[in-house]
PDB file of all heavy atoms in Angstrom:
ATOM      1  N   LYS J 224     140.651  12.933  58.898  1.00 97.00           N
ATOM      2  CA  LYS J 224     141.325  13.832  57.971  1.00 97.00           C
ATOM      3  C   LYS J 224     141.297  13.475  56.521  1.00 97.00           C
ATOM      4  O   LYS J 224     141.229  14.224  55.682  1.00 97.00           O
ATOM      5  CB  LYS J 224     142.781  13.868  58.485  1.00 97.00           C
ATOM      6  CG  LYS J 224     143.736  14.822  57.837  1.00 97.00           C
ATOM      7  CD  LYS J 224     144.528  14.057  56.719  1.00 97.00           C
ATOM      8  CE  LYS J 224     145.508  13.171  57.313  1.00 97.00           C
ATOM      9  NZ  LYS J 224     146.342  12.473  56.240  1.00 97.00           N
ATOM     10  N   ASP J 225     141.414  12.267  56.254  1.00 97.00           N
ATOM     11  CA  ASP J 225     141.427  11.665  54.882  1.00 97.00           C
ATOM     12  C   ASP J 225     139.998  12.012  54.294  1.00 97.00           C
ATOM     13  O   ASP J 225     139.969  12.339  53.081  1.00 97.00           O
ATOM     14  CB  ASP J 225     141.816  10.225  54.761  1.00 97.00           C
ATOM     15  CG  ASP J 225     143.198   9.913  55.044  1.00 97.00           C
ATOM     16  OD1 ASP J 225     144.045  10.964  55.140  1.00 97.00           O
ATOM     17  OD2 ASP J 225     143.505   8.689  55.213  1.00 97.00           O
ATOM     18  N   ALA J 226     138.965  11.903  55.035  1.00 96.00           N
ATOM     19  CA  ALA J 226     137.593  12.013  54.525  1.00 96.00           C
ATOM     20  C   ALA J 226     137.387  13.435  54.142  1.00 96.00           C
ATOM     21  O   ALA J 226     136.580  13.789  53.240  1.00 96.00           O
ATOM     22  CB  ALA J 226     136.603  11.486  55.552  1.00 96.00           C
ATOM     23  N   VAL J 227     138.063  14.381  54.783  1.00 97.00           N
ATOM     24  CA  VAL J 227     137.932  15.874  54.502  1.00 97.00           C
ATOM     25  C   VAL J 227     138.673  16.278  53.231  1.00 97.00           C
ATOM     26  O   VAL J 227     138.453  17.274  52.678  1.00 97.00           O
ATOM     27  CB  VAL J 227     138.302  16.634  55.755  1.00 97.00           C
ATOM     28  CG1 VAL J 227     138.197  18.181  55.520  1.00 97.00           C
ATOM     29  CG2 VAL J 227     137.393  16.260  56.901  1.00 97.00           C
ATOM     30  N   CYS J 228     139.792  15.479  53.055  1.00 97.00           N
ATOM     31  CA  CYS J 228     140.758  16.008  51.945  1.00 97.00           C
ATOM     32  C   CYS J 228     140.359  15.384  50.547  1.00 97.00           C
ATOM     33  O   CYS J 228     140.703  14.266  50.367  1.00 97.00           O
ATOM     34  CB  CYS J 228     142.133  15.439  52.400  1.00 97.00           C
ATOM     35  SG  CYS J 228     142.933  16.290  53.787  1.00 97.00           S
ATOM     36  N   SER J 229     139.647  16.127  49.835  1.00 96.00           N
ATOM     37  CA  SER J 229     139.279  15.741  48.436  1.00 96.00           C
ATOM     38  C   SER J 229     140.608  15.747  47.607  1.00 96.00           C
ATOM     39  O   SER J 229     141.457  16.630  47.770  1.00 96.00           O
ATOM     40  CB  SER J 229     138.103  16.610  48.010  1.00 96.00           C
ATOM     41  OG  SER J 229     137.113  16.641  48.783  1.00 96.00           O
ATOM     42  N   PRO J 230     140.586  14.922  46.483  1.00 96.00           N
ATOM     43  CA  PRO J 230     141.705  14.945  45.739  1.00 96.00           C
ATOM     44  C   PRO J 230     141.888  16.321  44.945  1.00 96.00           C
ATOM     45  O   PRO J 230     140.928  16.837  44.418  1.00 96.00           O
ATOM     46  CB  PRO J 230     141.483  13.739  44.668  1.00 96.00           C
ATOM     47  CG  PRO J 230     140.514  12.903  45.430  1.00 96.00           C
ATOM     48  CD  PRO J 230     139.681  13.764  46.319  1.00 96.00           C
ATOM     49  N   GLY J 231     143.086  16.799  45.121  1.00 96.00           N
ATOM     50  CA  GLY J 231     143.306  18.196  44.403  1.00 96.00           C
ATOM     51  C   GLY J 231     142.597  19.358  45.117  1.00 96.00           C
ATOM     52  O   GLY J 231     142.689  20.424  44.467  1.00 96.00           O
ATOM     53  N   GLY J 232     142.088  19.120  46.250  1.00 97.00           N
ATOM     54  CA  GLY J 232     141.213  20.198  46.880  1.00 97.00           C
ATOM     55  C   GLY J 232     141.818  21.101  47.743  1.00 97.00           C
ATOM     56  O   GLY J 232     143.189  21.013  47.964  1.00 97.00           O
ATOM     57  N   THR J 233     141.145  21.927  48.410  1.00 97.00           N
ATOM     58  CA  THR J 233     141.723  23.003  49.265  1.00 97.00           C
ATOM     59  C   THR J 233     142.245  22.361  50.653  1.00 97.00           C
ATOM     60  O   THR J 233     143.366  22.863  51.052  1.00 97.00           O
ATOM     61  CB  THR J 233     140.572  24.008  49.652  1.00 97.00           C
ATOM     62  OG1 THR J 233     139.481  23.283  50.339  1.00 97.00           O
ATOM     63  CG2 THR J 233     140.109  24.663  48.432  1.00 97.00           C
ATOM     64  N   THR J 234     141.544  21.413  51.170  1.00 97.00           N
ATOM     65  CA  THR J 234     142.078  20.866  52.436  1.00 97.00           C
ATOM     66  C   THR J 234     143.408  20.137  52.355  1.00 97.00           C
ATOM     67  O   THR J 234     144.369  20.345  53.184  1.00 97.00           O
ATOM     68  CB  THR J 234     141.006  19.928  53.054  1.00 97.00           C
ATOM     69  OG1 THR J 234     139.753  20.632  53.132  1.00 97.00           O
ATOM     70  CG2 THR J 234     141.477  19.613  54.500  1.00 97.00           C
ATOM     71  N   ILE J 235     143.633  19.379  51.341  1.00 97.00           N
ATOM     72  CA  ILE J 235     144.933  18.694  51.172  1.00 97.00           C
ATOM     73  C   ILE J 235     145.985  19.643  50.931  1.00 97.00           C
ATOM     74  O   ILE J 235     147.096  19.422  51.316  1.00 97.00           O
ATOM     75  CB  ILE J 235     144.799  17.535  50.176  1.00 97.00           C
ATOM     76  CG1 ILE J 235     146.047  16.664  50.208  1.00 97.00           C
ATOM     77  CG2 ILE J 235     144.667  18.237  48.792  1.00 97.00           C
ATOM     78  CD1 ILE J 235     146.140  15.794  51.408  1.00 97.00           C
ATOM     79  N   ALA J 236     145.787  20.721  50.242  1.00 97.00           N
ATOM     80  CA  ALA J 236     146.704  21.807  50.043  1.00 97.00           C
ATOM     81  C   ALA J 236     147.073  22.405  51.415  1.00 97.00           C
ATOM     82  O   ALA J 236     148.362  22.745  51.616  1.00 97.00           O
ATOM     83  CB  ALA J 236     146.167  22.890  49.090  1.00 97.00           C
ATOM     84  N   ALA J 237     146.129  22.602  52.273  1.00 97.00           N
ATOM     85  CA  ALA J 237     146.383  23.161  53.519  1.00 97.00           C
ATOM     86  C   ALA J 237     147.104  22.245  54.367  1.00 97.00           C
ATOM     87  O   ALA J 237     148.161  22.567  55.200  1.00 97.00           O
ATOM     88  CB  ALA J 237     145.041  23.591  54.217  1.00 97.00           C
ATOM     89  N   VAL J 238     146.754  20.934  54.345  1.00 97.00           N
ATOM     90  CA  VAL J 238     147.535  19.858  55.215  1.00 97.00           C
ATOM     91  C   VAL J 238     148.992  19.863  54.610  1.00 97.00           C
ATOM     92  O   VAL J 238     149.998  19.680  55.559  1.00 97.00           O
ATOM     93  CB  VAL J 238     146.776  18.490  54.978  1.00 97.00           C
ATOM     94  CG1 VAL J 238     147.723  17.356  55.540  1.00 97.00           C
ATOM     95  CG2 VAL J 238     145.477  18.568  55.744  1.00 97.00           C
ATOM     96  N   ALA J 239     149.209  19.931  53.317  1.00 97.00           N
ATOM     97  CA  ALA J 239     150.612  19.820  52.873  1.00 97.00           C
ATOM     98  C   ALA J 239     151.364  20.957  53.355  1.00 97.00           C
ATOM     99  O   ALA J 239     152.548  20.957  53.704  1.00 97.00           O
ATOM    100  CB  ALA J 239     150.587  19.845  51.369  1.00 97.00           C
ATOM    101  N   ALA J 240     150.674  22.250  53.471  1.00 97.00           N
ATOM    102  CA  ALA J 240     151.430  23.335  54.019  1.00 97.00           C
ATOM    103  C   ALA J 240     151.698  23.211  55.563  1.00 97.00           C
ATOM    104  O   ALA J 240     152.869  23.652  55.981  1.00 97.00           O
ATOM    105  CB  ALA J 240     150.504  24.668  53.782  1.00 97.00           C
ATOM    106  N   LEU J 241     150.863  22.527  56.139  1.00 97.00           N
ATOM    107  CA  LEU J 241     151.159  22.273  57.693  1.00 97.00           C
ATOM    108  C   LEU J 241     152.258  21.358  57.730  1.00 97.00           C
ATOM    109  O   LEU J 241     153.192  21.502  58.582  1.00 97.00           O
ATOM    110  CB  LEU J 241     149.853  21.728  58.323  1.00 97.00           C
ATOM    111  CG  LEU J 241     148.769  22.680  58.652  1.00 97.00           C
ATOM    112  CD1 LEU J 241     147.570  22.036  59.122  1.00 97.00           C
ATOM    113  CD2 LEU J 241     149.109  23.778  59.618  1.00 97.00           C
ATOM    114  N   GLU J 242     152.245  20.351  57.022  1.00 97.00           N
ATOM    115  CA  GLU J 242     153.385  19.326  56.989  1.00 97.00           C
ATOM    116  C   GLU J 242     154.728  19.882  56.625  1.00 97.00           C
ATOM    117  O   GLU J 242     155.754  19.742  57.348  1.00 97.00           O
ATOM    118  CB  GLU J 242     153.113  18.205  56.118  1.00 97.00           C
ATOM    119  CG  GLU J 242     151.882  17.321  56.435  1.00 97.00           C
ATOM    120  CD  GLU J 242     152.196  16.333  57.648  1.00 97.00           C
ATOM    121  OE1 GLU J 242     153.011  16.614  58.360  1.00 97.00           O
ATOM    122  OE2 GLU J 242     151.244  15.506  57.910  1.00 97.00           O
TER     123      GLU J 242
END
Side-chain angles (χ1 to χ4, degrees):
K224 181 264 292 178
D225 288 350
V227 177
C228 291
S229 301
T233 58
T234 308
I235 192 62
V238 169
L241 287 172
E242 296 287 15

